[in-house]
DNA sequence: TTTGTTAATGCAACAAAGTTGCGTTATATT
DNA sequence: AATATAACGCAACTTTGTTGCATTAACAAA
C-alpha cells in the first residue's frame, strides 16, 4: 500500500484501537463516529490500516467484520495469528494471546485459519 | 421445532446434501434451485432443517452461510463439532472429521467454537 | 509561502445476502 | 371430504458493505 496520510479520520480511528487487544466492529465504529466521518471513509481507512499491517480483521459470529490491533505485522506479512473470543452475553470481542495447534490434514495445504471461540468473558463469567 | 412436512422443497434440498461431508452455501442453493423454489422458501427450509438437527451451518470466509449434514445431532443438541475447510482455489468447502483441542482460557466459559481452515484442498493440492 | 500533485473525503447510488409480512396453497389429520 | 395450519410465493424491506465521481486537504517541492 502507498503512503498513508495522517488525516483526522486516521488519527481518530487509530485512537479507538489504542487500548489493548479489544476488537471493534466496523458497525460499531460507524455508529460511534458516523457523524464525524462518512461510513465510506471509515471503511476505507480500516481497509488501509489493515493493508499496512496496523490492524487485522476477522468475522464475528454474525458475519460482521471486526478489527483489532496487530502485533508485529507489516504490509507484507500478517504474522499475528491467534483465536478470537466473542462473549455471547455482553458481545465483547477480543484477541486471545495463545497459540492453537491445528490438526494434521493429509493432502491439503493450510494457508489461513481462523478460530472464533464463543462463550462468557471474564466479566460475564460468574 | 414443530412438525416438518415432507414437501417438495424439503425433499429436493435434503437430496442436495445426500452425498457426504460437502458443504453448500445458501447462495449456491439459491442459484441452483432458485427457479424451482423461491429464495425465501430455501432459507426457511434450511433454517428448519438446522433446528431439527439434520443440517448444521457455519460462516465461510466471506461471511456467507454454509450448510452441511449433521452427524448424530438432534433438535436439542448439536454435538457434531468439527472444523471446516474452504479451498481458496476451487472454493469447495467441507467438514473435517477431526477433533481440535482448544487452548485453556482461564476465567471464561467456552460454549461454541468455530474453526475455519483455508488453503488448498486435495483436488487442488499438487 | 505558495503551488501542484494526488491521496483522502463526502455523497449518493448501488449491491448482495438475508428477512419480514401477508395472502395463498398444499400437507396431513380427523 | 372437510378442516387446521405448516409451508409457500411474492414483494418489499433491512443491513452491511462497495463504487463512481466531484471536491477537499495533505504534504512535498519550488
Amino acid at each position: 500500500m502507498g503512503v498513508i496520510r495522517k488525516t483526522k479520520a486516521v488519527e481518530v480511528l487509530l485512537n479507538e484501537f489504542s487500548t489493548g487487544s479489544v476488537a471493534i466492529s466496523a458497525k460499531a465504529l460507524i455508529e460511534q463516529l458516523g457523524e464525524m466521518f462518512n461510513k465510506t471513509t471509515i471503511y476505507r481507512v480500516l481497509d488501509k490500516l489493515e493493508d499496512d499491517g496496523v490492524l487485522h480483521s476477522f468475522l464475528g459470529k454474525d458475519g460482521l467484520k471486526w478489527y483489532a490491533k496487530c502485533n508485529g505485522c507489516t504490509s507484507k506479512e500478517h504474522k499475528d495469528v491467534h483465536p478470537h473470543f466473542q462473549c455471547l452475553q455482553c458481545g465483547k470481542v477480543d484477541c486471545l494471546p495463545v497459540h492453537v495447534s491445528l490438526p494434521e490434514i493429509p493432502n491439503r495445504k493450510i494457508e489461513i485459519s481462523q478460530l472464533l471461540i464463543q462463550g462468557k468473558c471474564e466479566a460475564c463469567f460468574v
Side-chain angles (χ1 to χ4, degrees), chain A residues 13-14 32 59 62 65 68 73 84-85 96 111 115 121 126:
Chain A
L13 275 168
L14 271 182
Q32 200 173 325
L59 300 181
D62 304 311
K65 207 166 185 182
C73 295
H84 295 99
F85 188 94
L96 296 177
E111 283 169 12
L115 172 58
C121 72
V126 193

Side-chain angles (χ1 to χ4, degrees), chain A residues 31-106:
Chain A
E31 283 168 357
Q32 200 173 325
L33 307 172
E35 299 210 356
M36 202 178 322
F37 307 106
N38 189 276
K39 66 173 178 173
T40 311
T41 300
I42 295 174
Y43 280 119
R44 287 197 275 227
V45 170
L46 291 171
D47 246 32
K48 179 145 293 186
L49 290 173
E50 184 175 18
D51 278 339
D52 285 356
V54 179
L55 301 177
H56 64 278
S57 76
F58 57 94
L59 300 181
K61 71 182 176 72
D62 304 311
L64 290 198
K65 207 166 185 182
W66 293 72
Y67 289 86
K69 257 204 311 206
C70 260
N71 266 316
C73 295
T74 67
S75 58
K76 305 196 187 313
E77 192 188 9
H78 265 278
K79 52 166 60 174
D80 191 15
V81 180
H82 52 252
H84 295 99
F85 188 94
Q86 183 159 25
C87 180
L88 293 170
Q89 193 157 317
C90 70
K92 199 180 84 174
V93 176
D94 40 24
C95 302
L96 296 177
V98 299
H99 178 261
V100 175
S101 52
L102 296 181
E104 274 302 311
I105 313 170

